[in-house]
Amino acid sequence: MSATTEIVTEPILELSGVVAGYGAGDILKGVDLTIAAGTVTCLIGPNGAGKSTVLKAVSGLIKPRLGSIRHEGREIGALSPKARLLLGIAQVPQERSLFPAMSVADNLLMGGHLVKDKKLVRERIDAAMEMFPICARRRHEHAGSLSGGEQKQVELARTLVLDPKIVLLDEPSIGLDPGSRRLVFESVTRLAATGRTVLLVEQNARSGLAVSDFGAVLEAGTVRLTGTGSGLLQDPEVARLYLGATPRPVVPDAGDARHPAAGPRSGRPPRRDHQL
Ligand SMILES: Nc1ncnc2c1ncn2[C@@H]1O[C@H](COP(=O)(O)OP(=O)(O)OP(=O)(O)O)[C@@H](O)[C@H]1O
Ligand SMILES: [Mg+2]
């Protein structure tokens, strides 16, 4: 299966032959990935495969040594992270990234530091608070006093203050309890419902693929398999390696890609019909 042949809308992001790494070694060894505008794509794969490195290459935290990264047809591989933010490419890192001693409201304000029009920032903060009501309810509290799941929602809301076209989410559900995980996956769906493009890295492969139009399996720095989210969920090899169970119909449950023995957990049904 190839997502490239299935995507019918204009690609918003195209990685071709991307080679990148840290120091002397290459971690990404020729990554090809095409992302259609307005879709959710879930990147899964074993620890150390280079999933976070793919997101860093897209957001500009590392530069590709070879290959190209095109955004709406334009090469962006040499642009700084700030330039890519201004193009509308925003990353929510895996680790907690709020300022814990600042209020939730001030954290949201920080999300708009690159936006000159402060009235626009206030409007976007209001919209983000509407989308993530926890931000309004806890606006005056220190961000560090919120639970992990609540903080992740504030991080997502903060990202919206930049009005990004592409949101890169690195393992947003990691370390969260089942209820918070469900909220995070619902948030992915809500982001997509606003027309944004989401590239999601997930260890909870079942839940990640279930809310995604497309999926890709990264192994040892190359994309080994692509398909629709539902297609990959039902692929016997993907199930054996990453879903921790035999293939089954797409149902709302969640397994842990890193722990094949993990059983199903509560999750969500597919977001919408996949493009074919
Ligand atoms: N800043 C860094 N400096 C040197 N090596 C790094 C750095 N960040 C990551 N690596 C190495 O690059 C490889 C790929 O890391 P990456 O974080 O992209 O993997 P991943 O697929 O996201 O893994 P995980 O599922 O554990 O998050 C690993 O071997 C890792 O040790
Ligand atoms: Mg990672």
Side-chain angles (χ1 to χ4, degrees), residues 22-23 27-28 45-54 56 94 170-171 201 218 258:
Y22 312 88
I27 300 299
L28 305 185
N47 294 125
K51 303 180 298 297
S52 296
T53 306
V54 169
K56 288 178 195 166
Q94 181 177 324
D170 199 349
E171 308 219 1
V201 167
L218 192 76
R258 290 176 189 169

Side-chain angles (χ1 to χ4, degrees), residues 10-175:
E10 183 70 20
I12 193 168
L13 202 58
E14 259 184 307
L15 282 73
S16 315
V18 171
V19 175
Y22 312 88
D26 292 335
I27 300 299
L28 305 185
K29 296 171 179 154
V31 168
D32 298 318
L33 195 60
T34 302
I35 311 278
T39 60
V40 180
T41 300
C42 184
L43 195 55
I44 63 172
N47 294 125
K51 303 180 298 297
S52 296
T53 306
V54 169
L55 295 193
K56 288 178 195 166
V58 174
S59 67
L61 294 176
I62 61 165
K63 302 277 186 305
R65 292 174 179 146
L66 289 172
S68 78
I69 302 177
R70 278 196 291 278
H71 170 254
E72 294 181 336
R74 178 187 163 205
E75 178 60 43
I76 59 163
L79 296 184
S80 68
K82 182 179 170 188
R84 295 190 212 192
L85 263 179
L86 291 169
L87 283 176
I89 303 172
Q91 183 167 1
V92 180
Q94 181 177 324
E95 60 278 5
R96 290 184 185 177
S97 64
L98 296 177
F99 296 100
M102 285 171 62
S103 70
V104 167
D106 284 345
N107 268 281
L108 294 185
L109 209 52
M110 294 294 287
H113 75 285
L114 287 177
V115 183
K116 289 200 175 69
D117 183 343
K118 294 307 165 196
K119 182 167 171 279
L120 188 60
V121 170
R122 280 194 299 277
E123 284 170 11
R124 287 181 183 166
I125 288 177
D126 287 346
M129 283 185 167
E130 204 169 305
M131 195 163 165
F132 296 98
I134 186 82
C135 300
R137 283 201 302 275
R138 311 284 292 271
R139 64 198 306 155
H140 300 303
E141 292 177 41
H142 286 162
S145 70
L146 273 59
S147 74
E150 291 166 345
Q151 288 192 38
K152 191 52 76 179
Q153 289 182 70
V154 178
E155 283 181 77
L156 290 167
R158 182 181 59 176
T159 303
L160 292 184
V161 182
L162 267 178
D163 194 22
K165 286 190 249 176
I166 301 176
V167 182
L168 310 170
L169 293 178
D170 199 349
E171 308 219 1
S173 77
I174 197 166

